[in-house]
Amino acid sequence: MTSTDSAAQKAPAKDPWDLPDVSGLVVGVLGGTGPQGKGLAYRLAKAGQKVIVGSRAAERAEAAAEEIGHGVEGADNAETARRSDVVIVAVPWDGHGETLQSLRGELAGKLVVDCVNPLGFDKRGAYALKPEEGSAAEQAAALLPDSRVTAAFHHLSAVLLQDPEIDEIDTDVMVLGEERADVEIVQALAGRIAGMRGVFAGRLRNAHQVESLVANLISVNRRYKAHAGLRVTDV
């Protein structure tokens, strides 16, 4: 067989939109009592995903779960991490490192999706902060060496996520990670939410500019009284 024949018989490239079935995965949301976490939990549960919301206090998580409905359960953060296949980190930036450090054991072996945006605010509005590690996602990866860390869901409006009158949220979700299989799971989860699409956006070293873009979207929203999202064209 010639090299030309070998090339001709090479398997075709995988379709980037051929994503796995994630309907059976349990998704935990750390920070599930806050607006972003609660909104993501609501949308995923409404799409049929099994969801557990976590909080430092189990009672707060249980109250949030009852409010969300759709079979969502509430538990403390440690139990949420233990019982979940995929764990979304939606905690405030100022508690990000401490929360992950405390859950290193429970998050070992888990697929972790960091959606935290390190931001500061002053009289001129929102601005991006740059963590020592480079980004919130890279901080998560440094603190969780036994987890598979990805980054996604940064640019979603908590108002739209929680509004039951809105059936679809017309936006793309930029997904970053080191392993293609992990990224595709997160893309598929994003695609479970009506109107959304998960798009691969690079490795974790590129997470800072994705997280930072939220400061620009806040400026857009304030000027135009909107809940702006993103669409990636030509893909």
Side-chain angles (χ1 to χ4, degrees):
M1 179 181 295
T2 67
S3 59
T4 303
D5 292 335
S6 178
Q9 294 180 16
K10 188 177 180 180
K14 184 179 183 296
D15 181 351
W17 298 112
D18 180 15
L19 301 174
D21 178 8
V22 296
S23 59
L25 297 179
V26 178
V27 178
V29 184
L30 304 182
T33 59
Q36 194 79 359
K38 191 182 294 185
L40 282 168
Y42 167 66
R43 290 290 165 176
L44 287 168
K46 185 179 179 182
Q49 208 74 38
K50 175 59 184 175
V51 177
I52 306 170
V53 293
S55 176
R56 286 178 295 181
E59 296 79 8
R60 287 185 62 204
E62 290 163 0
E66 184 176 356
E67 181 183 343
I68 295 167
H70 297 281
V72 173
E73 295 183 38
D76 65 35
N77 282 332
E79 182 179 350
T80 298
R82 282 193 296 267
R83 292 178 55 195
S84 302
D85 303 302
V86 179
V87 179
I88 297 174
V89 181
V91 299
W93 166 241
D94 58 7
H96 182 263
E98 181 182 353
T99 299
L100 296 184
Q101 179 71 39
S102 70
L103 296 171
R104 178 179 292 188
E106 289 83 358
L107 291 170
K110 307 290 184 176
L111 176 55
V112 174
V113 187
D114 201 297
C115 70
V116 175
N117 303 303
L119 296 176
F121 296 86
D122 61 19
K123 290 187 293 185
R124 294 189 292 173
Y127 60 95
L129 303 175
K130 190 161 188 178
E132 181 180 347
E133 298 84 356
S135 64
E138 288 169 295
Q139 183 182 89
L143 291 172
L144 304 173
D146 299 318
S147 303
R148 295 136 51 209
V149 176
T150 60
F153 301 116
H154 301 91
H155 306 135
L156 306 180
S157 162
V159 174
L160 297 184
L161 287 172
Q162 295 183 85
D163 190 342
E165 300 300 316
I166 296 176
D167 294 325
E168 296 188 3
I169 300 179
D170 181 27
T171 193
D172 283 335
V173 173
M174 301 180 79
V175 184
L176 303 96
E178 300 301 319
E179 299 296 333
R180 180 167 181 168
D182 294 337
V183 168
E184 289 181 346
I185 289 171
V186 182
Q187 286 181 265
L189 281 173
R192 297 270 286 162
I193 300 174
M196 288 190 195
R197 182 180 65 159
V199 179
F200 172 64
R203 294 179 178 270
L204 289 185
R205 68 180 183 180
N206 293 319
H208 172 64
Q209 54 264 40
V210 173
E211 296 169 2
S212 300
L213 188 58
V214 173
N216 302 90
L217 291 177
I218 290 172
S219 297
V220 171
N221 291 339
R222 286 180 173 174
R223 173 63 62 88
Y224 298 102
K225 304 296 187 288
H227 301 290
L230 297 178
R231 273 294 187 201
V232 181
T233 63
D234 202 33
V235 293

